[in-house]
Amino acid sequence: MGKITKTIDELQSADQPGDYHIPVLLQETISALDIKPSGVYVDCTFGGGGHSREILKKLDENGRLVVFDQDEAARINVPSDARIIFVAQNFRYLQKFLRLHKFQQVDGILADLGVSSHQFDKAERGFSTRFDAALDMRMDSRQPTTAAEILNTYTEQRLHKIFEKYGEVTNAKTLAKSIVEHREISLFKTIDVFKKNLHGIVKGNPNKYFAQVFQALRIAVNDEMGALEELLNQAVPVLKTGGRLVIISFHSLEDRMVKNFFKHGAVQEQEADDVYGTRQESPLSILSKKPITASQAELKINSRSRSAKLRVAEKK
Ligand SMILES: C[S@@+](CC[C@H](N)C(=O)[O-])C[C@H]1O[C@@H](n2cnc3c(N)ncnc32)[C@H](O)[C@@H]1O
């Protein structure tokens, strides 16, 4: 209980910017990072800055915190603190921007994947099935591909794969076929029209069905699996020996990728083999045999923590 009481106190503290986002597994994350006061840390997914503020509290005046967020909107949450550097970029460019800021290696890397509550609750961002808005779903509004673009231009086969793989939509094939049929009459622009046109093929609870469809589209729009793979591959060379890698994921595809990477040091198992086909030892020691999940107390105050899984590894 002590742990969670502290979390609630943190949330209510004056420096918390409104209700942008409630950080999940806050104390568990901080303890997994095992922060050295004058170390260099990276928060790949700054968002509302809940995790970052807690990291800053553990750093002394020599410590540094580099934070990434591909969404410019997150910048408003950056505290005025000389130890923090905000990089408004995708974390798939981790190594490049660390070099640019003259950091060769770091003591810890955190990624709390997915979208923030702020992004989800802003109707105009197009992430939520609860509102009518343009079918956007971009975390980074500078990038060209929106959800509408995907729905209106991808082949039926590609759409089928997206809904099947990223959303586990039961009738992904029928859905892809219906989308292609509908867009021949009129292109998709808004959430309400999309939902209305596809109402006839919904399987089961419509809210749950569209939540799965939207999750799949969001993952595709933001190339979330591709970005995670690039982050993981760069994390190992970027970490110092003994440095910590902490990843919080929210769906099984991400968690599986993280788990495999920690185990083999490669996303694709065969990449862990050398040219002679011999399996190389993973460069990481796994510190969480099972993923860490939210306590009952956290589940009560933050429903988003329900699907959160934290995994932690240390560079050998
Ligand atoms: C779940 S929120 C993080 C919340 C944060 N830990 C907090 O305590 O407020 C995820 C944030 O990461 C950002 N994000 C997601 N994927 C990203 C990526 N590939 N590169 C950079 N930022 C990303 C999103 O824009 C969002 O603001």
Side-chain angles (χ1 to χ4, degrees):
M1 188 63 202
K3 263 204 295 199
I4 289 301
T5 309
K6 184 158 184 247
T7 308
I8 295 167
D9 288 343
E10 293 304 335
L11 294 174
Q12 289 170 342
S13 73
D15 62 354
Q16 186 75 23
D19 51 5
Y20 196 99
H21 187 84
I22 301 174
V24 298
L25 299 167
L26 184 57
Q27 297 308 325
E28 292 84 348
T29 301
I30 298 305
S31 115
L33 281 168
D34 188 28
I35 297 169
K36 295 187 176 73
S38 29
V40 179
Y41 289 84
V42 183
D43 180 351
C44 295
T45 49
F46 178 72
H51 288 107
S52 278
R53 272 187 297 280
E54 210 59 29
I55 295 171
L56 281 174
K57 285 183 193 164
K58 302 267 176 196
L59 294 179
D60 64 21
E61 68 282 9
N62 298 314
R64 292 289 177 271
L65 176 61
V66 184
V67 302
F68 284 74
D69 203 302
Q70 60 179 329
D71 187 349
E72 261 292 339
R75 192 187 288 275
I76 56 155
N77 302 316
V78 180
S80 124
D81 187 314
R83 298 169 301 170
I84 195 166
I85 297 155
F86 179 72
V87 182
Q89 293 291 341
N90 197 303
F91 57 56
R92 71 193 322 155
Y93 308 119
L94 173 76
Q95 209 163 11
K96 172 177 162 184
F97 283 95
L98 284 181
R99 273 205 210 112
L100 198 76
H101 289 282
K102 312 267 183 271
F103 296 109
Q104 292 307 321
Q105 284 194 306
V106 302
D107 296 280
I109 300 173
L110 163 68
D112 171 21
L113 301 170
V115 284
S116 66
S117 306
H118 173 82
Q119 288 164 327
F120 201 63
D121 294 341
K122 278 265 168 211
E124 65 270 25
R125 302 297 299 265
F127 286 107
S128 173
T129 57
R130 291 171 293 155
F131 311 113
D132 187 24
L135 285 154
D136 189 323
M137 303 192 195
R138 289 169 301 168
M139 291 190 221
D140 179 351
S141 340
R142 298 162 295 191
Q143 65 122 336
T145 311
T146 62
E149 169 88 9
I150 288 180
L151 291 168
N152 293 326
T153 65
Y154 279 20
T155 62
E156 186 177 324
Q157 201 184 21
R158 203 163 166 202
L159 288 169
H160 171 196
K161 286 278 159 265
I162 287 174
F163 294 123
E164 188 175 64
K165 199 168 161 204
Y166 299 154
E168 293 175 63
V169 176
T170 40
N171 61 348
K173 198 168 192 276
T174 312
L175 172 63
K177 188 163 178 280
S178 297
I179 288 170
V180 170
E181 279 166 10
H182 273 97
R183 77 187 186 197
E184 264 152 33
I185 303 160
S186 152
L187 293 180
F188 291 105
K189 288 192 182 110
T190 63
I191 294 172
D192 270 3
V193 171
F194 175 74
K195 280 166 57 185
K196 209 166 113 221
N197 283 344
L198 296 163
H199 195 74
I201 61 140
V202 168
K203 285 254 181 226
N205 177 328
N207 290 338
K208 192 169 168 237
Y209 183 82
F210 282 115
Q212 288 174 308
V213 171
F214 271 46
Q215 171 181 294
L217 277 171
R218 192 203 85 204
I219 293 173
V221 167
N222 297 287
D223 185 24
E224 294 180 34
M225 300 311 295
L228 177 59
E229 181 166 350
E230 289 190 44
L231 168 67
L232 292 170
N233 282 326
Q234 291 169 42
V236 172
V238 154
L239 275 174
K240 290 179 189 166
T241 300
R244 296 282 174 97
L245 178 56
V246 179
I247 313 276
I248 306 173
S249 62
F250 291 86
H251 58 82
S252 55
L253 274 182
E254 286 171 344
D255 184 55
R256 206 173 313 136
M257 188 185 275
V258 174
K259 184 178 160 186
N260 281 337
F261 186 81
F262 282 9
K263 197 161 159 199
H264 304 293
V267 169
Q268 311 297 337
E269 238 182 88
Q270 55 275 27
E271 286 171 17
D273 297 344
D274 68 12
V275 284
Y276 306 106
T278 311
R279 181 60 43 95
Q280 298 297 288
E281 196 192 317
S282 172
L284 299 166
S285 307
I286 299 171
L287 302 184
S288 51
K289 292 278 176 261
K290 284 211 169 117
I292 298 166
T293 55
S295 64
Q296 286 303 319
E298 180 168 9
L299 290 170
K300 269 193 205 145
I301 59 161
N302 186 3
S303 61
R304 200 177 169 275
S305 66
R306 232 177 333 162
S307 40
K309 287 198 169 121
L310 183 154
R311 290 188 187 267
V312 49
E314 188 176 278
K315 183 165 165 184
K316 287 179 187 162

